[in-house]
Amino acid sequence: MDKRRVVITGMGMITPLGIGVKESWDALLSGKSGIRRITKFDASQFPTQIAGEVEGFNPEDYIEIKEIKKMDRFIHLAIAASTMAMSDSGIKITQQNADRVGVLVGSGIGGLHTIEHYHSIVLTKGPRKITPFFIPMLVINLAAGQISIRFGAKGPNSAVSTACATGSHAIGDAFKIIQRGDADVMIAGGAESVITPLGIGGFCAMKALSTRNEAPAKASRPFDVDRDGFVMGEGAGILILEALENAIDRGAKIYAELMGYGMTADAYHITAPSPDGEGAAKCMEMALRDGGIDYSEVNYINAHGTSTKHGDELENKAIKKVFGDYAYKLVVSSTKSMTGHLLGAAGGVEAVITALSIYNDIVPPTINLDNPDPECDLDYVPHFAKSIPVRYALTNSFGFGGTNACLLFKKFEE
């Protein structure tokens, strides 16, 4: 049986660079950083006092006031990005097609704001003060659940939670659901919001975060020898994936085609990637094999590139393992240099960015790449966006636990 072709017909994105796809995309192309000092709580006692917070987001622009208090912030962001994507796609869910529209949206950590708030409440005021909405506010699958309720999507519904690979796994799994014929449309991606005392404190305890507190915009510097850890961000990235025949029948705008999906495990360590990049390399190879193309056809890779020494160097090794000498002809950039690392939302946001790179034939830069690490010797597009023809592009996401995801996109051709 031939695989069904799957295309992207809508996008929604909220990042530290802006609310909406255009605002974030324009900032990415101009090399703007979204990293600032933390404002959501007093971080003065923490080693890390910087993050990529989303500024100016008002959930009332997307959700009824009486419903807002029943959801954690990560769900607010997921609903907002989904609303943008649905509007962009122009698709209408009716009684006739509701069973053929599904949702697959994940989060790496879920409702940490809610957990911290009600932990304080139960200690100071007692258990009777816990809201009955406490559990539905924080569990990860309620992002997908709330989105399905909002839009009336009665098809396949699920949630992924695979740390920093969440968004890519969600999109890849949704892709397969359409490809095998179980849905015609999937709302897919990731959302995250854990810039809280426990969230920042937990990653500080692991010594995973940059402490460049006096120069926030310079702190996220993937592939640069002077990096000192990643910078946490928050946001959401959602795609509307659609069977090609469905998209053509309704005259939808098509941004790109999703061609391949890879998922592997390092089977090595809970936080460190495998030393030779084997798991990441096999993940990229799987996506290329699934898409049925040769590695020499790829033009661009949106790297996982978090701004950690081991992660950056091992991704460089993995790319060279897959692409050989052709790796030096590729263009690779890390947009986390501007957004920070959005954890479970990263894969969703970076899928939007990769599809836009194909659609517009332009690749966002890696900013702050002033002194490239000698172990990171590929074209990482320092400082400025690059206009090149982009027909095929990969996006990589690697998560704690050694879980890897890779998506392959192609410029749409009938």
Side-chain angles (χ1 to χ4, degrees), residues 278-322:
E278 182 187 10
K282 287 183 176 177
C283 193
M284 285 185 270
E285 289 169 348
M286 186 184 290
L288 294 173
R289 189 167 58 248
D290 188 39
I293 70 161
D294 187 78
Y295 66 83
S296 61
E297 296 180 80
V298 176
N299 310 107
Y300 170 55
I301 299 176
N302 186 288
H304 183 60
T306 60
S307 187
T308 62
K309 179 175 174 58
H310 291 308
D312 291 355
E313 292 180 358
L314 293 175
E315 188 166 13
N316 194 84
K317 280 184 185 177
I319 292 170
K320 290 202 289 189
K321 190 183 289 279
V322 175

Side-chain angles (χ1 to χ4, degrees), residues 44-67:
S44 59
Q45 301 303 309
F46 290 71
T48 293
Q49 299 162 13
I50 56 176
E53 295 177 333
V54 172
E55 292 187 339
F57 175 68
N58 183 0
E60 293 180 23
D61 293 340
Y62 307 92
I63 306 167
E64 302 78 10
I65 292 176
K66 65 182 176 61
E67 298 297 323

Side-chain angles (χ1 to χ4, degrees), residues 66-84:
K66 65 182 176 61
E67 298 297 323
I68 289 172
K69 64 182 180 181
K70 302 175 185 175
M71 308 171 193
D72 188 88
R73 180 175 170 88
F74 88 96
I75 300 178
H76 298 162
L77 294 170
I79 288 175
S82 298
T83 302
M84 294 173 189

Side-chain angles (χ1 to χ4, degrees), residues 144-202:
Q146 289 282 10
I147 291 166
S148 70
I149 293 166
R150 180 154 300 264
F151 295 110
K154 298 181 178 178
N157 188 286
S158 189
V160 169
S161 184
T162 49
C164 305
T166 293
S168 292
H169 276 141
I171 291 168
D173 291 351
F175 164 56
K176 292 299 175 184
I177 287 171
I178 297 176
Q179 210 175 50
R180 67 174 181 254
D182 286 340
D184 295 324
V185 178
M186 291 293 294
I187 303 166
E192 198 81 85
S193 178
V194 290
I195 302 173
T196 71
L198 270 180
I200 294 291

Side-chain angles (χ1 to χ4, degrees), residues 2 21 27 56 103 111 146 162 192 231 233 257 276 301-302 309 328 347 372 412:
D2 291 339
V21 171
V103 184
Q146 289 282 10
T162 49
E192 198 81 85
V231 180
E257 182 169 359
D276 58 359
I301 299 176
N302 186 288
K309 179 175 174 58
Y328 294 97
F412 175 64

